[in-house]
């Protein structure tokens, strides 16, 4: 019988080539122009699970994009691992900033990935990380050492809010019942220092619209006499933070959990170099909420950020005009105990209340979700830590991430199961950005580590 290290060595070229094929399909869920490709990707994922030896694989139709569901039950008395991932990807724009086309994957060496990384949209988030699970499963089947039952649930709408998945989970609690949920859709500290994500932030995403006159106006004839929606919007947005970068929305911090001095000291132990951080991003200085360091600002503290702002004339040259309307898209990252729907309401109420009488304001909620924290004393956490310790030679460090996977909190509510976030990406892999990539080292290490999670999860469950 092959061990996993040997199996990966023997099959790594095929593993890489299969992922490259999957990455060629532009499964952009946000843009309807790609809907055929999104559906084609779900078919490709289904085929890959079948080929890996999964007994039952089905495409589950939803009001939106389909969910690929797989099931391999070997013994009802053994534990069941539910693997979740997503086959959809973020839009690739701006295209001109890619050094190679986003859906023509190529392997390039980088300083952080000397053994090469696959450059393509979705390579890290999340096709590459999802596919590690398919290959780890293939190994366990081929070598007859799958120690428990497995269910796969791979969705196609994660990047747009997982609406159909919520619909699916609420209707299929029995089908999805499991002992632990395993997800690789986060990151780790570095290729030398693995980490396990123990927290995710929640999210509230809103769009705002500020209107003054019923048409665009000559900025000489009307300027100074009517409200300029862009000026007003900027002023309103600026007022949402005070001089300490605290968010000014009343009651916004009501349920925010303050970490103890001990917890913060524990967090500070994770390796982090501020100089390297600034250098990598070409920053003169970092910026954020007073009283917190960078690693706290981007994980345990809530935020409010404008993601996009538009209005008026942005074409070539100059046009003297006061736009009738101005818009912005705003995201708030939330921490556990902050309820996203309450926060959305608080935002709406506050934003409307600060509008001067010369304008009309509309707040349109987009989507959101709750944050998540998971304990480090569970069987799942311990199994993951043992697996990492074996493949990396050092134990994993628990890290609370700033990103969001809103469906994780819903899994806990609907399926009553804890999630283990075993991510193998790096922050520098440029997910959601041009030149997204995933290290070959990370991809293969993931495939090596996952079967050990299964092994230890079953051992520790006995
Ligand atoms: N995989 C990411 C989330 C992530 C990345 C968490 C790295 C932790 C570390 C996921 O695909 C994502 O992008 N989530 C969105 C939220 C979603 C509702 C659109 C996010 O965090 O912006
Ligand atoms: Mn993702
Ligand atoms: Mn993403």
């Amino acid at each position: 019988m092959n061990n996993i290290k040997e199996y990966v060595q023997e099959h790594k070229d095929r593993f890489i080539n299969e992922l490259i094929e999957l990455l060629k399909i532009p499964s952009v869920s946000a843009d309807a122009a790609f809907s055929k490709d999104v559906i084609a990707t779900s078919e490709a994922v289904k085929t890959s699970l079948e080929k890996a030896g999964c007994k039952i694989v089905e495409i589950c139709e939803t009001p939106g994009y389909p969910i690929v569901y797989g099931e391999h039950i070997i013994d009802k008395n053994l534990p069941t691992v539910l693997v979740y991932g997503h086959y959809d990807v973020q839009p690739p724009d701006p295209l001109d900033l890619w050094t190679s086309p986003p859906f023509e994957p190529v392997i390039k060496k980088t300083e952080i990935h000397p053994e090469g990384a696959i450059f393509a949209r979705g390579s890290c988030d999340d096709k590459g990380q999802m596919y590690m699970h398919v290959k780890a499963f293939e190994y366990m089947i081929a070598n007859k050492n799958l120690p428990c039952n497995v269910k796969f649930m791979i969705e196609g709408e994660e990047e747009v809010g997982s609406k159909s998945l919520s619909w699916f989970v609420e209707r299929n609690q029995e089908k999805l019942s499991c002992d632990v949920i395993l997800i690789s859709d986060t990151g780790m500290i570095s290729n030398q220092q693995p980490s396990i994500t123990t927290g995710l932030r929640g999210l509230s995403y809103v769009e705002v619209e500020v209107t003054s006159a019923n048409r665009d106006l000559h900025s000489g004839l009307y300027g100074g006499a009517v409200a300029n929606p862009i000026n007003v919007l900027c002023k309103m947005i600026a007022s949402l933070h005070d001089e300490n970068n605290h968010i000014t929305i009343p009651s916004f911090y009501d349920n925010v959990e303050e970490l103890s001095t001990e917890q913060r000291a524990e967090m500070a132990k994770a390796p982090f170099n501020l100089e390297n951080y600034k250098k990598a991003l070409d920053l003169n200085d970092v910026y954020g909420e007073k009283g917190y360091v960078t690693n706290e600002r981007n994980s345990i503290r809530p935020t409010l950020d404008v993601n996009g702002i538009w209005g008026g004339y942005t074409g070539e040259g100059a046009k003297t005009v006061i736009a009738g309307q101005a818009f912005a898209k705003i995201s708030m990252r939330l921490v556990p105990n902050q309820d996203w729907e309450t926060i959305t309401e608080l935002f709406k109420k506050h934003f409307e209340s600060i509008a001067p009488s010369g304008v009309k304001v509309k707040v349109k909620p987009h989507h959101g979700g709750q944050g998540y924290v998971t304990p480090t004393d569970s069987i799942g956490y311990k199994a993951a830590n043992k697996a990492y310790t074996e493949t990396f030679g050092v134990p994993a460090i628990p890290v609370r991430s700033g990103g969001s996977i809103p469906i994780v909190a819903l899994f806990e509510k609907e399926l009553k199961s804890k999630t283990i976030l075993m991510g193998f990406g790096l922050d520098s892999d440029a997910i959601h950005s041009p030149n997204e990539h995933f290290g070959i080292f990370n991809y293969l290490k993931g495939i090596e580590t996952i079967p050990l999670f299964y092994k230890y999860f079953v051992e520790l469950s006995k």
Side-chain angles (χ1 to χ4, degrees):
M1 193 161 73
N2 252 326
N3 76 25
I4 178 67
K5 255 200 157 73
E6 287 162 10
Y7 191 83
V8 170
Q9 277 315 309
E10 200 180 313
H11 297 276
K12 66 175 183 205
D13 291 343
R14 176 172 59 83
F15 289 176
I16 292 166
N17 289 330
E18 285 177 10
L19 175 57
I20 284 178
E21 288 308 307
L22 194 63
L23 290 168
K24 286 182 185 169
I25 322 175
S27 50
V28 180
S29 51
D31 185 344
F34 293 93
S35 64
K36 276 206 175 71
D37 301 294
V38 181
I39 290 163
T41 309
S42 72
E43 296 289 345
V45 172
K46 176 178 186 256
T47 307
S48 73
L49 279 170
E50 284 166 349
K51 277 196 178 155
C54 192
K55 275 189 218 157
I56 301 174
V57 191
E58 43 192 276
I59 296 268
C60 302
E61 297 301 335
T62 72
Y65 286 123
I67 289 160
V68 185
Y69 178 77
E71 201 175 275
H72 197 91
I73 307 295
I74 55 169
D75 178 349
K76 288 219 155 59
N77 299 314
L78 285 169
T80 301
V81 176
L82 172 66
V83 176
Y84 162 82
H86 62 96
Y87 65 80
D88 65 322
V89 302
Q90 283 278 328
D93 61 277
L95 285 174
D96 52 324
L97 294 183
W98 284 78
T99 53
S100 54
F103 299 109
E104 292 172 30
V106 281
I107 298 174
K108 287 183 259 192
K109 290 188 164 67
T110 72
E111 210 175 301
I112 292 178
H113 297 294
E115 58 299 289
I118 307 177
F119 280 71
R121 172 57 87 231
S123 54
C124 178
D125 185 11
D126 179 43
K127 282 175 175 166
Q129 297 212 66
M130 174 273 291
Y131 207 66
M132 297 180 318
H133 287 269
V134 181
K135 295 298 99 180
F137 176 75
E138 174 197 302
Y139 159 74
M140 292 184 282
I141 294 292
N143 288 275
K144 302 191 171 49
N145 61 2
L146 176 71
C148 61
N149 307 313
V150 192
K151 293 175 178 176
F152 290 93
M153 179 167 63
I154 316 295
E155 71 150 319
E157 288 178 21
E158 197 278 341
E159 299 292 9
V160 289
S162 300
K163 251 213 177 96
S164 299
L165 186 70
S166 312
W167 178 92
F168 184 74
V169 171
E170 280 159 17
R171 281 163 184 74
N172 290 283
Q173 275 131 324
E174 193 68 29
K175 186 184 180 99
L176 300 171
S177 69
C178 60
D179 297 281
V180 70
I181 297 163
L182 184 60
I183 304 181
S184 296
D185 192 23
T186 53
M188 58 179 186
I189 294 174
S190 73
N191 285 358
Q192 292 72 44
Q193 180 55 68
S195 50
I196 300 172
T197 303
T198 52
L200 292 163
R201 285 196 284 195
L203 181 71
S204 163
Y205 202 106
V206 298
E207 188 167 325
V208 298
E209 181 188 297
V210 175
T211 309
S212 64
N214 55 6
R215 60 180 170 91
D216 290 2
L217 302 170
H218 188 285
S219 65
L221 296 182
Y222 291 93
V226 298
N228 177 327
I230 302 177
N231 293 5
V232 169
L233 177 60
C234 290
K235 213 169 164 176
M236 289 170 73
I237 287 171
S239 78
L240 298 175
H241 291 93
D242 69 11
E243 66 283 5
N244 294 324
N245 276 315
H246 283 295
I247 295 155
T248 55
I249 299 170
S251 300
F252 185 85
Y253 290 97
D254 277 6
N255 296 317
V256 170
E257 165 203 31
E258 291 290 338
L259 266 64
S260 66
T261 316
E262 293 76 47
Q263 284 171 308
R264 291 177 71 180
E266 199 53 45
M267 276 186 74
K269 284 189 195 156
F272 176 75
N273 182 308
L274 189 61
E275 284 317 307
N276 290 348
Y277 184 87
K278 288 196 282 191
K279 212 172 123 206
L281 300 175
D282 212 354
L283 297 171
N284 297 327
D285 205 353
V286 290
Y287 185 90
E289 188 181 1
K290 197 176 167 187
Y292 297 90
V293 297
T294 299
N295 276 351
E296 295 172 331
R297 288 171 177 168
N298 69 13
S299 66
I300 57 158
R301 299 298 297 165
T303 63
L304 185 153
D305 278 296
V306 177
N307 291 237
I309 182 163
W310 69 102
Y313 184 71
T314 56
E316 209 180 301
K319 177 186 179 190
T320 49
V321 68
I322 296 175
Q325 286 191 300
F327 308 84
K329 290 184 194 277
I330 296 173
S331 70
M332 287 163 279
R333 294 282 169 174
L334 310 174
V335 296
N337 297 340
Q338 277 186 302
D339 173 61
W340 78 272
E341 284 171 316
T342 308
I343 293 291
T344 305
E345 257 323 293
L346 288 174
F347 176 91
K348 189 172 178 340
K349 217 172 105 196
H350 178 68
F351 205 71
E352 286 165 357
S353 80
I354 59 174
S357 57
V359 299
K360 297 175 217 60
V361 163
K362 266 196 198 144
V363 176
K364 295 186 246 174
H366 267 273
H367 58 80
Q370 310 295 62
Y372 186 70
V373 270
T374 185
T376 55
D377 58 3
S378 68
I379 292 173
Y381 187 91
K382 286 181 191 155
N385 197 16
K386 278 184 89 150
Y388 279 110
T389 309
E390 196 163 319
T391 50
F392 285 83
V394 286
I397 294 177
V399 170
R400 279 177 61 171
S401 172
S404 308
I405 311 178
I407 204 70
V408 171
L410 190 97
F411 287 157
E412 179 140 337
K413 184 169 158 250
E414 298 287 337
L415 306 177
K416 314 272 179 293
S417 287
K418 292 260 175 263
T419 292
I420 301 299
L421 297 157
M422 285 178 84
F424 291 88
L426 300 179
D427 283 356
S428 55
D429 287 345
I431 64 169
H432 294 205
S433 301
N435 306 310
E436 174 177 354
H437 54 280
F438 190 36
I440 301 284
F441 169 89
N442 304 67
Y443 179 51
L444 300 178
K445 261 291 190 257
I447 300 171
E448 252 180 57
T449 310
I450 291 163
L452 293 169
F453 171 83
Y454 282 70
K455 177 179 158 197
Y456 292 125
F457 185 74
V458 175
E459 271 180 31
L460 295 169
S461 298
K462 276 180 190 151

